[in-house]
Amino acid sequence: MKLILLGAPGAGKGTQAEVICKHLGIPAISTGNILREALKSGTEMGLKAKAFMDAGQLVPDEIVIGIIKDRLAEEDCKNGFILDGFPRTLHQAEVLDEMLDRKGINLDAVIEIQVPDEIIMERILGRYACMKCGQGYHDKFQKPKVYGVCDVCGGTDFFRRVDDNKTTVQNRLVNYRALTYPTIPYYEKKGLLRCVDGTGTIEAVSNKVDSILGIK
Ligand code: AP5
Ligand code: MG
Ligand code: ZN
């Protein structure tokens, strides 16, 4: 299965990508996560991307296209992949099509997770993750079973993303509308677009995604 997850910041792309990854055993590829890892390792690419990310602006196309090109060439993408946060501009979508054409790969679906802005702010401002394994949590909607202890690795240190503040989220939403929205009709015309109401619980949204993908 070759999938793209589209949706505003905080819509639940990363959360649903993880669930699909567990159900189908295909890698979830988040350009945001790869850029944050690059920054943590102090690479030139990470340092270049930092100012854009901290301001809630898109990182230049050539950087993220390079990331995806390298990542899709890896062995674990042979049987499928889930793209989370890429493409985010029409140009990225067109280049991805060329890349996949050259490999003889067809996309199976582009899932747009729809969530209104009021809900998005609450989701993003309550988000945090485990420092050791990266597992995502939420103050209200996705608490660890034991307070302060990661369900997955037992870690007790957590972090919040630098770009998860009100001003930056507002910029990210503006950029989503201006630059990423045009990819929606692009995929609709290709007959690939599937829209999912992302306002229910994580499990409810996941059930809808599964039924679109014919998993259950
Ligand atoms: P990226 O990391 O992709 O951020 P984003 O698009 O802003 O999306 P988020 O990761 O914030 O949200 P999400 O949809 O994954 O939500 P999540 O599942 O975590 O990109 C960051 C930056 O990198 C960009 O701003 C840009 O600078 C750069 N970048 C990345 N890709 C790029 C590209 N292709 N081109 C250019 N620049 C690029 O959920 C959010 C919270 O809500 C969590 O706490 C979760 O627990 C909770 N939650 C999820 N679903 C539900 C639910 N159904 N009910 C209740 N709570 C829920
Ligand atoms: Mg994410
Ligand atoms: Zn952990």
Side-chain angles (χ1 to χ4, degrees):
M1 189 89 71
K2 285 95 180 173
L3 298 174
I4 292 176
L5 293 185
L6 273 179
K13 302 180 295 297
T15 305
Q16 294 303 327
E18 251 178 56
V19 179
I20 303 170
C21 166
K22 277 187 201 134
H23 288 178
L24 295 180
I26 50 175
I29 301 170
S30 155
T31 35
N33 285 348
I34 294 172
L35 289 165
R36 281 184 288 277
E37 281 301 316
L39 178 61
K40 222 161 87 185
S41 326
T43 68
E44 200 188 323
M45 178 179 82
L47 296 171
K48 249 192 214 161
K50 183 182 179 347
F52 294 100
M53 295 175 80
D54 288 355
Q57 305 296 338
L58 291 189
V59 171
D61 280 348
E62 62 271 20
I63 296 183
V64 285
I65 287 168
I67 289 177
I68 287 297
K69 191 166 171 242
D70 291 348
R71 186 63 187 85
L72 289 181
E74 285 180 38
E75 191 60 30
D76 63 341
C77 293
K78 287 258 152 59
N79 297 322
F81 49 79
I82 309 151
L83 296 182
D84 155 14
F86 185 96
R88 234 186 260 238
T89 62
L90 254 190
H91 179 63
Q92 291 178 20
E94 286 161 358
V95 174
L96 176 66
D97 272 349
E98 287 163 21
M99 232 185 262
L100 297 178
D101 273 354
R102 257 181 269 129
K103 291 173 184 279
I105 292 173
N106 291 318
L107 287 169
D108 292 290
V110 176
I111 299 179
E112 186 208 357
I113 306 174
Q114 298 176 328
V115 176
D117 289 6
E118 315 82 77
I119 294 184
I120 277 176
M121 212 35 109
E122 191 184 18
R123 283 193 185 174
I124 292 190
L125 297 184
R127 169 171 56 192
Y128 63 99
C130 172
M131 198 89 100
K132 205 163 137 197
C133 76
Q135 173 62 38
Y137 294 100
H138 190 281
D139 292 327
K140 203 165 146 189
F141 305 125
Q142 198 184 357
K143 297 179 186 173
K145 290 190 187 85
V146 178
Y147 178 78
V149 182
C150 174
D151 293 343
V152 177
C153 74
T156 51
D157 293 320
F158 298 86
F159 71 96
R160 291 180 192 260
R161 272 166 52 177
V162 181
D163 61 342
D164 280 355
N165 61 77
K166 227 172 175 175
T167 314
T168 307
V169 174
Q170 269 151 1
N171 288 340
R172 280 153 66 192
L173 283 169
V174 167
N175 284 314
Y176 181 71
R177 299 255 151 63
L179 302 168
T180 310
Y181 251 29
T183 62
I184 295 173
Y186 177 83
Y187 287 120
E188 192 173 20
K189 274 191 206 126
K190 289 175 177 283
L192 289 169
L193 187 71
R194 308 281 180 275
C195 299
V196 169
D197 173 4
T199 58
T201 61
I202 293 172
E203 203 189 350
V205 178
S206 160
N207 287 337
K208 287 180 210 163
V209 172
D210 280 355
S211 76
I212 285 175
L213 299 177
I215 297 177
K216 273 182 191 163

